Amino acid sequence: MSNFKREVEKINIPNNLHDRAKLGVKHAKNDLKGKNNTKKRLSLIAASCLITFSAITYTPVGAAIKQAYDKIFESQHIDDPGLKVALKDGHGQTISQTYYDKQNDIAVNFENVMTDNAETKLLLTFNSNTTDLENYYIDIYEGTSKVYLITDDGQRQELDNIGWGSRHYNKEENKVATALSFDSIKEYEGQNIRIEIENITIWDKKGMDEVKTVWPLEFNLDKSYITDREIVEMNKEFTFKNETYTIERVEYSELETRLVIRGSDMIYTDQDGNQYQTKSKLEHQFLNARQINQGSGYTVAEGKSGVFLDASGERIVPNFSKGEIESKLGVFIMVFAPVKDRSNVVLEVGEDMEIPLIVEE
Amino acid sequence: MIHLITKAQKGNERAFLKLFQKYEADIYRMAYVYVKNENDALDVVQEVAYRSFKKIETLKNPKYFKTWLIKITITCSIDIIRKNKKVVHLKPESHEQIGIEDKDISLSITLQEFLEQLNEHERSIVMLKYYEGYTFKEISKLLNLPLGTVKSVLYRSIHKLQKEFKEADFHE
């Protein structure tokens, strides 16, 4: 037990504690008495959130890549709509390398890497015949896992997470598929680089633990980048629930669409005058359409209002796996799936607010 | 547990109290860290019992019963702090001796330091992380704060307490 926990547990529990709880319940019961407490019991019909994925059309370029990575990365079990679109379009560099972690009896299959100016996606699966992998995560956000890049001349740097990445565990195969998301490595194009994944994070009922290990991957980063981002400066202001927001810019890439937004309710000041980022009304509206699915992360809850993009009549969904991208204080980065037709994009906030994402002359 | 919650949701007082008793010590300690005195902490526990019994029908997933109670505890504790700010105390209670029978004075001072040095916002995050064992994501959801904020508040809090605690003191 940590010293801190031991300290807190030294706070004496008064003898009359349970009596006070009883008293609270007694008061509540008295309040409830006399009220007509027969509530209509609505039978909850579990509307299974069916997300339809468009059939994969094999392009000659895409077909070669599709053979090289696990189909799981295109399935509903991976909660990154941008990644799925990029894979479907045949983006990314095939890796096809296997590393055997002898100490833990884990076979690691590196499958694909894609990077643009803002982030890198590294797709890998790992499985084992003897080690139960159900609680094994490469958690570079709050776990003890880390990702390092080592260049040919020996320079080593840690790569920070971008959003949370996606993960799926297949119990039958005892196999984890994970799409890690971290800092861009685009600047190393054409170079031989080594990526090292250090430590596996274990999340179970007891909390967090780790398995010390290093999984290496060496390759030449060859045309793995997708495109440069198209950045459109906006400075467009709108009001939502009495708060003022400014869309500073929109960033389009083959992996995602980012809206960089400043807002009047994004900064919290505590009693000591420290300032922190806080969730704005706009962010709450954005998250309103988020639903968590066991085993497949975040998806869009059908029929719930949220924040979406409309691109010439096509609905572009939020990318909830990019839950929190670091930004300046008072700025919120809202991420959506990629947009192909960028000529007529509208931001839809809630039920009836539409903001065209066009630069006014 | 699910059975008890179902019964409690139908208004069964005994089932509810059986459930509540499992967590009331945690609720009390959480409240104490906020309000820093026994009387107010007991008031918080009573209020949490009152509000949670009245609202238990709204609990959708029994798995989150404890988290739901902790959230109500934080709300009630902050309410009491706000209320007390309007009251002038003749004797500040924040300096009362914490009820520790243990003879380890240096450790009791450590806890006192913790209560004194951090504001309510910081205390709640440190408690949720290191006493309740919640993850950053869970704390973010509980307190309705972005993950980044939870992280930065926590690290700042630890930095503030560095004179008294080593970071290792927070870990198993």
Side-chain angles (χ1 to χ4, degrees):
Chain A
M1 193 197 289
S2 67
N3 285 350
F4 176 78
K5 197 167 179 174
R6 250 195 302 270
E7 277 301 292
V8 173
E9 288 192 343
K10 287 185 176 178
I11 296 172
N12 257 5
I13 300 297
N15 295 333
N16 60 338
L17 177 67
H18 192 59
D19 293 338
R20 294 297 295 270
K22 281 181 181 170
L23 198 59
V25 173
K26 192 180 167 189
H27 286 174
K29 270 203 103 152
N30 287 343
D31 277 7
L32 291 167
K33 260 183 202 169
K35 281 185 183 177
N36 181 5
N37 208 26
T38 48
K39 298 238 162 71
K40 284 181 187 171
R41 304 225 173 252
L42 295 170
S43 60
L44 291 172
I45 301 158
S48 60
C49 178
L50 289 173
I51 296 183
T52 50
F53 294 98
S54 53
I56 297 160
T57 51
Y58 284 81
T59 60
V61 179
I65 290 172
K66 275 178 214 311
Q67 302 307 312
Y69 63 80
D70 198 305
K71 283 284 186 289
I72 191 76
F73 291 109
E74 278 186 3
S75 76
Q76 74 275 19
H77 294 300
I78 293 294
D79 62 352
D80 184 334
L83 173 67
K84 286 187 271 202
V85 170
L87 286 172
K88 204 174 76 178
D89 290 349
H91 291 295
Q93 178 180 341
T94 302
I95 302 282
S96 294
Q97 276 188 40
T98 300
Y99 172 75
Y100 178 58
D101 179 342
K102 194 175 172 183
Q103 198 183 345
N104 301 298
D105 186 31
I106 297 172
V108 187
N109 305 292
F110 293 101
E111 307 207 352
N112 189 288
V113 68
M114 55 180 77
T115 184
D116 68 1
N117 317 50
E119 72 169 312
T120 301
K121 289 275 181 204
L122 177 63
L123 276 50
L124 61 136
T125 62
F126 53 97
N127 56 287
S128 173
N129 293 324
T130 57
T131 308
D132 182 356
L133 302 176
E134 185 162 12
N135 300 319
Y136 278 42
Y137 294 75
I138 308 298
D139 184 348
I140 55 177
Y141 180 78
E142 62 175 311
T144 56
S145 311
K146 292 187 185 308
V147 176
Y148 291 97
L149 179 137
I150 299 103
T151 55
D152 241 0
D153 58 1
Q155 284 189 47
R156 179 185 172 92
Q157 60 163 312
E158 188 180 344
L159 300 167
D160 279 339
N161 70 293
I162 303 280
W164 305 324
S166 301
R167 176 194 184 269
H168 175 67
Y169 172 67
N170 181 323
K171 203 174 180 72
E172 280 171 25
E173 295 179 53
N174 189 34
K175 178 171 149 183
V176 175
T178 188
L180 298 179
S181 184
F182 48 80
D183 286 339
S184 171
I185 56 171
K186 187 176 182 294
E187 64 183 285
Y188 302 98
E189 192 199 330
Q191 294 183 35
N192 294 319
I193 55 171
R194 179 181 168 97
I195 300 276
E196 286 183 357
I197 293 171
E198 197 178 85
N199 302 339
I200 305 158
T201 306
I202 296 177
W203 286 109
D204 58 20
K205 283 176 185 162
K206 286 178 287 183
M208 190 178 74
D209 203 350
E210 72 172 358
V211 174
K212 292 249 183 240
T213 189
V214 176
W215 294 347
L217 162 71
E218 286 180 354
F219 63 104
N220 183 289
L221 187 59
D222 171 35
K223 289 197 183 303
S224 59
Y225 66 92
I226 297 160
T227 53
D228 280 342
R229 296 194 155 223
E230 182 191 347
I231 296 176
V232 182
E233 297 294 343
M234 284 271 162
N235 281 321
K236 194 164 201 148
E237 205 174 88
F238 67 95
T239 304
F240 175 67
K241 291 188 175 175
N242 299 322
E243 300 291 345
T244 306
Y245 299 100
T246 304
I247 304 165
E248 288 187 341
R249 65 182 182 275
V250 183
E251 300 179 5
Y252 296 105
S253 96
E254 301 293 337
L255 260 181
E256 65 177 21
T257 307
R258 281 188 188 195
L259 269 68
V260 180
I261 301 173
R262 247 183 312 114
S264 54
D265 61 340
M266 290 183 185
I267 297 176
Y268 166 80
T269 307
D270 74 11
Q271 64 214 76
D272 297 340
N274 302 304
Q275 291 196 314
Y276 307 107
Q277 185 79 16
T278 188
K279 281 184 183 166
S280 62
K281 289 175 186 171
L282 180 66
E283 188 171 353
H284 281 294
Q285 179 63 35
F286 179 74
L287 294 174
N288 190 52
R290 188 178 78 172
Q291 108 179 343
I292 301 171
N293 295 311
Q294 199 63 39
S296 55
Y298 300 117
T299 54
V300 175
E302 284 306 312
K304 283 192 88 173
S305 84
V307 179
F308 296 90
L309 292 179
D310 180 283
S312 303
E314 186 194 356
R315 192 198 209 196
I316 309 295
V317 296
N319 185 343
F320 294 124
S321 78
K322 295 266 179 72
E324 224 179 278
I325 293 173
E326 213 163 303
S327 61
K328 285 184 300 188
L329 188 66
V331 169
F332 168 48
I333 296 175
M334 205 153 50
V335 185
F336 297 88
V339 171
K340 286 199 168 61
D341 179 1
R342 300 165 188 176
S343 61
N344 183 21
V345 184
V346 176
L347 178 70
E348 296 176 338
V349 181
E351 301 291 353
D352 49 17
M353 184 179 263
E354 294 189 346
I355 303 128
L357 298 181
I358 47 169
V359 184
E360 282 150 13
E361 298 300 321
Chain B
M1 171 153 156
I2 292 172
H3 179 64
L4 282 175
I5 287 178
T6 308
K7 278 178 128 177
Q9 287 182 318
K10 287 176 182 167
N12 186 314
E13 187 181 340
R14 280 183 65 185
F16 178 83
L17 281 166
K18 203 170 172 179
L19 278 168
F20 194 87
Q21 193 161 17
K22 209 173 149 184
Y23 305 115
E24 64 191 13
D26 266 8
I27 292 168
Y28 174 81
R29 288 189 173 117
M30 187 89 201
Y32 192 103
V33 161
Y34 271 91
V35 298
K36 300 192 275 192
N37 71 83
E38 185 179 303
N39 288 342
D40 284 342
L42 282 169
D43 284 350
V44 170
V45 172
Q46 184 176 323
E47 185 63 20
V48 173
Y50 171 84
R51 288 189 200 181
S52 55
F53 185 70
K54 269 183 99 170
K55 296 275 181 190
I56 191 155
E57 258 195 69
T58 64
L59 179 71
K60 289 189 185 80
N61 189 341
K63 199 171 86 176
Y64 300 119
F65 181 65
K66 186 187 176 183
T67 304
W68 182 67
L69 288 178
I70 293 288
K71 196 168 183 168
I72 296 170
T73 305
I74 293 167
T75 308
C76 291
S77 302
I78 290 169
D79 286 352
I80 288 211
I81 290 169
R82 301 279 179 275
K83 200 176 79 182
N84 287 351
K85 274 181 181 166
K86 293 172 190 165
V87 178
V88 179
H89 291 286
L90 292 171
K91 181 184 167 198
E93 289 187 273
S94 59
H95 294 285
E96 73 173 34
Q97 268 299 316
I98 293 165
I100 298 173
E101 287 160 14
D102 199 284
K103 296 283 185 285
D104 196 338
I105 298 301
S106 68
L107 284 183
S108 69
I109 288 168
T110 304
L111 184 60
Q112 192 70 33
E113 284 288 324
F114 166 72
L115 296 179
E116 293 303 321
Q117 286 200 27
L118 303 183
N119 65 44
E120 66 197 47
H121 186 57
E122 293 162 339
R123 283 201 302 267
S124 64
I125 289 175
V126 172
M127 276 292 285
L128 291 169
K129 181 75 184 161
Y130 294 115
Y131 181 66
E132 295 294 346
Y134 286 115
T135 67
F136 285 122
K137 278 185 186 174
E138 286 165 334
I139 297 168
S140 150
K141 211 170 166 187
L142 244 160
L143 299 181
N144 223 346
L145 286 168
L147 278 158
T149 297
V150 173
K151 260 189 162 182
S152 61
V153 173
L154 185 83
Y155 295 146
R156 229 175 41 83
S157 305
I158 290 171
H159 184 72
K160 266 188 181 183
L161 294 165
Q162 257 177 348
K163 277 190 289 180
E164 311 304 326
F165 292 100
K166 296 180 192 72
E167 192 169 345
D169 288 342
F170 290 96
H171 300 292
E172 298 300 314

